[in-house]
Amino acid sequence: MSDDLSRYHRQTLLPGIGESGQRRLDESCAVILGCGALGSLAADLLARAGVGHLKIVDRDFVELTNLQRQLLFDERDVADAIPKAEAARRRLSRINSSIRVTAIVDDLNHTNIERHAEGADVLIDGLDNFETRYLANDFAVSRGVPYVYGGAVGTVGASYAVLPHTAGGDMPWESAAHGNLASPCLRCLFEEAPPPGSMPTCDTAGVLSPVITTIASFEVAEAIKILTRNYENVSRSMLNIDLWNNTISQLKVSRAYEDGNCPCCKQRRFDYLEGELGSGATTLCGRDAVQLTHRQDAPNLDLGAIAAQLRSHGDVVSSRHMLRAAITDNGKPYSLSVFPDGRAIVHGTAEASVARSIYAKFVGN
Amino acid sequence: MNISVQYFAVFREQAGRDTEDLTTSAATAGELFAEISTRHGFADSVERCKVAINDELASWTTSLSDGDVVLFFPPVAGG
């Protein structure tokens, strides 16, 4: 960014930001994990706010069904069949050419998060599955990087900012003028990730676009407070909204750290970061298929419920032993086989990232 | 005692309502969830959702008091 802050004048007028805060934004790096609906809007707002370096990690390509809610993308991106991270980089460079945007087209997992999140001053959650959220949470707590959770599906959304408790207790938010402002992590609130197939996804249950814009806006507001070191203004509550049924709640969660025995931020066990929990992917040689397995024990999936969700996408056959669904994703046909223990085989690809994406969208994890 | 219960996301869909005022003998949040879960046929177990009492996250063993507002909510995925 040039020394000329004039384009940010309406932002530097804010007492909590000012010119010093604006320079802090310029010196900051925000890593946006997932560039779907939440991630793309968050990226747009952070670019306009003048965050000096945005790193955008996403494994998917822009599809026509994304355009209803993913505001950075347009029909040309669909026609060009370009990755979301790259489409976002192109668009953001036209919005604010004075910042740096790095596009990372990859499947975020425990083997690469260290590399992709390197240098992050804040992690922004634009993810579509809980497994990767717990990975991000593990990284945030182990490395002392704030993490802003956001989730949205159907007509509901939730957001919550984590200022992690660290082993050394020496992060700026842990020794602020207002006391220790560290907050419970995502695993303090939800100790175990929801089992595969137990949660609705945007591809199976739909999503109301204003829920996305509301939650992404909350995420970005928290990120700006964090990057400008206004830690005392970071929300101590978890937001839950239902824009269709007109309910908003802000739940105080501070006691979850003291009252609980969080495996992550209290026991300092980083199960997802170390690959102990989460899923594994194996390419099945000569079969144009990828098998996904889960490392944790989970109750059996309700294959009937998943079948009901998938019928709007194509032919589905299910029994209590297996479900097989014909689905189309990004214009390509796939066959998805799901077993009661959560194991799945995605036929039609040899790429683990494609298989993981399809599983997250159509089964949910 | 009299409790006001609020339902969020999948609980709202399964209960078919946002809120419900009821009289219960449940002593804890967990006992209240068990009582309601049977009536509304909730698919989720306590391991997969959370409870807040009077806008503050609570545990399933937290005691209930007359007039409490109790919210049941799951994590929100998607994005």
Side-chain angles (χ1 to χ4, degrees):
Chain A
M1 189 176 76
S2 73
D3 282 341
D4 180 8
L5 301 181
S6 59
R7 70 179 289 157
Y8 304 113
H9 177 250
R10 303 302 189 269
Q11 187 164 274
T12 55
L13 281 175
L14 298 170
I17 297 181
E19 287 200 10
S20 62
Q22 193 61 52
R23 293 194 192 284
R24 281 179 174 156
L25 289 176
D26 175 50
E27 292 159 3
S28 298
C29 173
V31 177
I32 297 161
L33 305 172
C35 193
L38 290 174
S40 61
L41 183 61
D44 185 316
L45 294 173
L46 290 169
R48 291 177 194 275
V51 174
H53 186 191
L54 298 180
K55 291 171 80 172
I56 300 172
V57 189
D58 195 282
R59 63 191 173 193
D60 286 335
F61 290 72
V62 183
E63 297 178 61
L64 190 61
T65 56
N66 299 151
L67 302 188
Q68 163 253 3
R69 64 195 182 282
Q70 301 189 14
L71 303 187
L72 268 187
F73 310 131
D74 57 32
E75 292 175 359
R76 183 167 177 182
D77 297 321
V78 177
D80 291 349
I82 55 174
K84 289 181 179 179
E86 178 57 24
R89 190 195 62 75
R90 276 198 218 172
R91 171 88 178 119
L92 294 172
S93 69
R94 293 197 293 272
I95 290 170
N96 190 346
S97 60
S98 65
I99 64 164
R100 182 176 160 213
V101 182
T102 304
I104 300 168
V105 183
D106 204 352
D107 172 49
L108 190 69
N109 57 59
H110 76 279
T111 68
N112 61 25
I113 190 169
E114 188 83 51
R115 182 162 30 102
H116 294 332
E118 185 184 4
D121 295 302
V122 67
L123 302 177
I124 306 294
D125 183 343
L127 297 162
D128 65 356
N129 67 89
F130 256 90
E131 178 186 328
T132 318
R133 286 191 170 102
Y134 280 55
L135 174 67
N137 184 75
D138 271 7
F139 181 87
V141 174
S142 70
R143 304 298 189 270
V145 178
Y147 160 59
V148 187
Y149 156 70
V153 65
T155 63
V156 305
S159 182
Y160 171 65
V162 178
L163 294 175
H165 288 271
T166 65
D170 52 358
M171 288 294 153
W173 54 86
E174 292 175 295
S175 53
H178 294 74
N180 187 345
L181 299 173
S183 51
C185 78
L186 194 60
R187 283 191 85 181
C188 291
L189 306 189
F190 298 100
E191 187 170 326
E192 302 300 332
S198 67
M199 304 289 293
T201 75
C202 294
D203 292 82
T204 59
V207 60
L208 186 72
S209 61
V211 173
I212 297 292
T213 52
T214 305
I215 293 300
S217 296
F218 269 84
E219 289 188 79
V220 170
E222 298 310 303
I224 290 175
K225 294 176 204 172
I226 289 166
L227 294 177
T228 55
R229 301 183 202 172
N230 285 289
Y231 302 119
E232 70 279 11
N233 291 96
V234 173
S235 174
R236 315 288 295 163
S237 301
M238 180 178 191
L239 173 74
N240 282 277
I241 60 168
D242 183 337
L243 289 185
W244 199 261
N245 297 294
N246 313 309
T247 60
I248 297 177
S249 57
Q250 287 187 284
L251 307 174
K252 299 182 193 77
V253 299
S254 298
R255 281 172 45 189
Y257 177 77
E258 283 78 17
D259 293 352
N261 188 25
C262 176
C264 180
C265 66
K266 265 205 171 163
Q267 300 178 43
R268 313 302 296 179
R269 234 178 52 220
F270 304 111
D271 300 323
Y272 290 85
L273 192 59
E274 289 161 9
E276 299 293 326
L277 293 178
S279 64
T282 308
T283 300
L284 304 178
C285 290
R287 291 179 55 188
D288 193 30
V290 175
Q291 176 172 263
L292 300 171
T293 53
H294 294 270
R295 297 188 182 92
Q296 63 270 45
D297 292 332
N300 275 358
L301 272 60
D302 183 346
L303 295 181
I306 297 170
Q309 291 178 337
L310 292 177
R311 288 216 165 83
S312 66
H313 291 275
D315 293 338
V316 180
V317 178
S318 75
S319 68
R320 65 190 176 91
H321 303 293
M322 191 185 79
L323 171 157
R324 179 169 290 154
I327 55 172
T328 301
D329 187 57
N330 205 14
K332 296 178 184 168
Y334 298 94
S335 173
L336 172 65
S337 300
V338 185
F339 302 90
D341 62 358
R343 184 171 62 91
I345 298 175
V346 180
H347 297 266
T349 183
E351 291 183 38
S353 63
V354 173
R356 285 184 198 273
S357 173
I358 287 171
Y359 193 88
K361 288 177 183 174
F362 295 100
V363 179
N365 58 331
Chain B
M1 78 187 108
N2 296 313
I3 299 288
S4 178
V5 183
Q6 298 177 335
Y7 301 109
F8 182 69
V10 67
F11 295 118
R12 186 197 165 280
E13 291 167 23
Q14 290 169 357
R17 65 191 79 185
D18 299 327
T19 61
E20 182 172 26
D21 294 326
L22 50 83
T23 302
T24 180
S25 58
T28 65
E31 288 178 24
L32 179 65
F33 184 82
E35 178 186 311
I36 292 172
S37 186
T38 304
R39 185 151 49 85
H40 289 311
F42 289 159
D44 272 355
S45 62
V46 292
E47 291 82 18
R48 287 158 50 177
C49 61
K50 282 289 173 184
V51 59
I53 300 175
N54 303 327
D55 288 332
E56 181 157 16
L57 193 70
S59 78
W60 294 109
T61 56
T62 303
S63 298
L64 296 176
S65 301
D66 189 52
D68 278 347
V69 178
V70 180
L71 168 70
F72 296 118
F73 66 102
V76 177

